Amino acid sequence: MIGKDLPKSNIRNNDFINVVFGRRATRFMNPDFKVDREEIVEIFSEMNACTPSAVNTQPYKFLVIDSDEGKKKIDSIMRPPFDRDRTTSCSFAVVVFADRKWIEGFDELYQNEITIVPDYPEMMVPVTYEWYEELTAGDGSYLDKSINFQAGQASMMLQCICRAHGLNTSVMDAWDPELLTDLFGIDLERYIPEVVLTIGKSTGPATERYRYTGDHFIIWG
């Protein structure tokens, strides 16, 4: 898959300013609104086509929860009063993970890569394996740092793509992720839980919040 070949048939909002600057966290969603799985797959394909990724490794996974039973499960590990009762009203919830063992699929990824880019250098295979060994040396903190920021980029891109599909999103991190193994069978030795996203249709206006201007963050070099 490459981005230019995606049909993008369900893009409903092609206004860049509205998509990016109009995005707001949505706490209350319409429980009767549903996104079908075909469109959900399209959303993730579009997200992945434009998310930056180190050496194209794509080291993330997503638990997509669209059943009432599953949404009640994920709601049970959200912490009140902050994020409880939000997953039950959305169309679907997404748990974002960084994948510590992305290397296991790299050979297949490379074979797909060279069908699209025939002159993609073969030397990238040993270089990538060497890089993975460097990342996993010691306590593995370098690996976690690499994949965590990439999963974060995927999370933000996913929200923008959802907005282009006419959907609203919210990000939550007040929860007990260690219970994901019991509830969904997630291997937490491999997958690092990042955030929970709720996706659907807002039932109210977006709330404006005060934000710092750029000079608050900049350290000039």
Side-chain angles (χ1 to χ4, degrees):
M1 178 199 79
I2 54 177
K4 69 181 183 65
D5 293 335
L6 291 171
K8 308 175 188 68
S9 54
N10 282 305
I11 296 293
R12 300 175 179 88
N13 184 353
N14 203 26
D15 183 336
F16 175 84
I17 291 176
N18 184 272
V19 166
V20 175
F21 290 94
R23 187 208 60 80
R24 295 291 185 274
T26 299
R27 181 170 290 273
F28 303 105
M29 294 188 179
N30 180 357
D32 297 321
F33 177 81
K34 303 297 179 186
V35 181
D36 63 54
R37 289 191 169 185
E38 182 178 358
E39 183 170 358
I40 292 174
V41 172
E42 286 182 16
I43 288 170
F44 277 90
S45 295
E46 291 161 4
M47 172 278 297
N48 199 37
C50 49
T51 295
S53 176
V55 203
N56 198 28
T57 51
Q58 305 161 62
Y60 29 73
K61 286 289 188 293
F62 305 90
L63 172 64
V64 177
I65 306 164
D66 63 349
S67 68
D68 290 340
E69 179 185 3
K71 286 187 281 187
K72 288 177 182 177
K73 284 183 181 180
I74 195 66
D75 182 65
S76 72
I77 63 175
M78 308 308 294
R79 293 179 184 166
F82 305 104
D83 293 335
R84 183 62 64 82
D85 300 325
R86 296 172 70 178
T87 63
T88 53
S89 63
C90 68
S91 175
F92 63 102
V94 177
V95 183
V96 181
F97 299 97
D99 183 4
R100 287 189 172 108
K101 297 184 179 179
W102 56 259
I103 196 69
E104 292 183 358
F106 182 72
D107 284 342
E108 179 182 357
L109 177 64
Y110 176 73
Q111 291 305 315
N112 288 325
E113 184 86 64
I114 60 178
T115 63
I116 302 297
V117 188
D119 58 349
Y120 190 78
E122 290 186 18
M123 56 85 63
M124 288 305 298
V125 175
V127 166
T128 301
Y129 277 96
E130 289 171 9
W131 179 54
Y132 185 78
E133 290 179 5
E134 293 175 2
L135 289 173
T136 53
D139 62 1
S141 59
Y142 289 112
L143 172 68
D144 289 358
K145 180 180 179 181
S146 171
I147 61 178
N148 282 336
F149 91 79
Q150 293 184 72
Q153 292 184 117
S155 299
M156 191 65 249
M157 191 63 71
L158 178 60
Q159 292 180 79
C160 289
I161 294 295
C162 283
R163 185 158 174 79
H165 277 247
L167 304 172
N168 303 105
T169 62
S170 185
V171 185
M172 303 181 294
D173 62 357
W175 60 322
D176 299 303
E178 66 274 6
L179 299 177
L180 287 167
T181 300
D182 292 338
L183 291 176
F184 296 99
I186 302 298
D187 178 5
L188 295 180
E189 291 296 315
R190 172 170 182 164
Y191 298 111
I192 304 173
E194 303 289 342
V195 292
V196 179
L197 304 177
T198 54
I199 300 167
K201 279 286 188 180
S202 173
T203 58
T207 302
E208 295 291 341
R209 303 292 298 274
Y210 172 78
R211 292 297 178 99
Y212 293 119
T213 56
D215 56 356
H216 177 84
F217 303 102
I218 296 172
I219 300 172
W220 298 105

